[in-house]
Amino acid sequence: MAPDQIRIVRRGFQSIAGKSDRAAALFFAHLFEIDPSLRRLFPGDLARRGAKLVHAVGLIVEDLHRVYVFVPALEALAVRLAGHGLDPSDYARFGEALKRTARSLLGDRFTPDMEAALDRIYAELSGVMVGTTSREFRLAA
């Protein structure tokens, strides 16, 4: 991840951080609009799950310069999500929902540079999770 991309994403997240309830609600609305079948992964209280999601994203954004710190947590999450039926192809829908949420909350501040930075960073992070899921499926076979 390029340092300028990390700075762009951090700046955008700082703007969103004060709107965590709205960010979480928008994320889930976008995700379920993109693929209603993904609702099955989030049983129960979406507000509570949303708060956890925004908190986790905040921790990740803070440590983007040291991605190795949270790779084990991403790998463990990927295994849990796969156990609930998340397919590796679903990660693209999560990324799109994340981007739509940022666009909704940032408005004109959601620039092409912001979009490119989010795409790059999400591709790297979701790549870790997809790779983990693929390994787990091969080991189980």
Side-chain angles (χ1 to χ4, degrees):
M1 288 172 234
D4 60 323
Q5 290 176 322
I6 292 172
R7 275 192 300 277
I8 289 168
V9 169
R10 280 184 179 154
R11 197 173 21 231
F13 187 79
Q14 287 170 350
S15 298
I16 292 171
K19 306 171 187 171
S20 61
D21 290 344
R22 184 158 183 251
L26 279 171
F27 173 79
F28 286 125
H30 290 306
L31 182 64
F32 303 149
E33 177 184 311
I34 292 166
D35 186 345
S37 75
L38 293 175
R39 179 66 174 95
R40 75 187 186 287
L41 298 173
F42 302 96
D45 182 16
L46 282 181
R48 186 178 59 79
R49 291 182 182 278
K52 285 182 174 183
L53 174 70
V54 172
H55 178 73
V57 170
L59 293 175
I60 290 169
V61 167
E62 174 129 346
D63 273 334
L64 282 173
H65 64 290
R66 306 178 317 155
V67 71
Y68 59 86
V69 168
F70 51 83
V71 165
L74 290 175
E75 292 171 337
L77 177 60
V79 171
R80 281 195 314 275
L81 290 172
H84 291 289
L86 185 74
D87 186 85
S89 66
D90 293 328
Y91 285 98
R93 290 181 269 296
F94 277 83
E96 181 60 29
L98 182 66
K99 198 163 39 172
R100 287 185 190 183
T101 301
R103 186 179 291 118
S104 296
L105 291 170
L106 294 173
D108 292 343
R109 292 175 292 163
F110 188 82
T111 64
D113 287 343
M114 168 73 74
E115 183 171 10
L118 275 176
D119 285 344
R120 172 66 189 263
I121 290 169
Y122 185 77
E124 288 189 34
L125 299 178
S126 65
V128 168
M129 296 177 79
V130 168
T132 299
T133 303
S134 297
R135 271 195 316 277
E136 288 297 315
F137 284 134
R138 282 196 306 272
L139 292 173

